[in-house]
Amino acid sequence: IEQMASDFMKLYPAANILVATEKDFAASKRKLFISRIATGEFDCVIMSQEQFKKIKISPEREKKFIEEEIDNIDRELLLLKHSKTRGHSVKSLELKKKQLAVKLTQLLGDIEANADTDNLSFEELGIDALFVDEAHAYKNLPITTKMNVAGIASSNSQAALDMLAKCQYINEISKEHNVVFATGTPVSNTMGELYVMQSYLQPSALRKAHVDRFDEWAANFGEVVTELEMNVQGSDFRFKNRFSKFVNIPELMT
C-alpha cells in the first residue's frame, strides 16, 4: 500500500489521496474511516484487498445480485432438462442454487432486522472508478455452466463475487469506462479465466455478441477434447474432458 501511495504521489504531486493503514480498518475505527471516504474530497483512496472486502455493497444490490445468479442457474437447469447430458451437471447446479437460496434467506433476515444500518455501503462512498492491482486474485469467480469439463471454477469465492458486484456498480455509473484490472497473469490455470476477466470488465460486449453465458462463450472460443489421463493415485487411467486450446482468436481479440 505504501509503495502504491508513493508512486501515485510521484505521478500526481498535487493529488489529495487517502491511504488506509491496518489501524484504520480495526473494528473500532472502520466506521470512521469509511465515513472519511464519503465526506472527503479525495482524488484517490488506496487500500489493501482485505480492507476493500470489508466495505460491503448495499443489501438491496446484494439481493438483486443473488436473485440474478439464481435466475441464471434456473435457465441452465431448464436447458439441461431437454439435454442428453445430465447427471453431474444437474447436481452441481442444484447445490449451487441451494447455497444461494440460503444466502438470500440470511440476507433478507438481516434486512428485516435492519442489521448494519450504521455502516455506509460501497455505493454511498462517492467512488466512481476502480483500479485493481494483482487482479488475478479474483479469477476464481464461480461459473454457471452445464458443461462437465475439467478446470472450470466452481468454488464459491466470496472475494470474487464481492468484486463482481462492485464492478457492476462502477460499470453502471461509468458506462464501463472506469474499471481497470492490472495483472501479469490474467490467464494462469484455465482458459475459463479469460471469460471471468471479460465478465468483470466488458459485460455489455459479451451480451452484444450473445456470449454472456459461459457455455455460449466456450462453444465459440474454446475447443474441448477428451483425453486419457492417469488418476491421482497413479493406478489407473480415465477419460477426462478439458479445454485444449482457444479457437476463433481474431474474433475473441475483437
Side-chain angles (χ1 to χ4, degrees), residues 186-206:
V187 180
S188 55
N189 292 325
T190 75
M191 290 166 54
E193 289 165 10
L194 186 56
Y195 168 80
V196 167
M197 291 295 167
Q198 287 186 289
S199 298
Y200 285 121
L201 300 172
Q202 46 184 182
S204 65
L206 292 178

Side-chain angles (χ1 to χ4, degrees), residues 138-158:
Y138 302 98
K139 68 187 178 186
N140 289 325
L141 189 70
I143 292 173
T144 300
T145 176
K146 63 180 188 292
M147 297 173 71
N148 185 14
V149 178
I152 297 175
S154 58
S155 58
N156 212 8
S157 169
Q158 291 306 306

Side-chain angles (χ1 to χ4, degrees), residues 96-108:
K96 191 175 173 185
K97 182 181 175 180
K98 192 175 179 180
Q99 290 169 340
L100 285 169
V102 169
K103 193 174 176 184
L104 183 60
T105 302
Q106 290 171 344
L107 178 66
L108 292 172

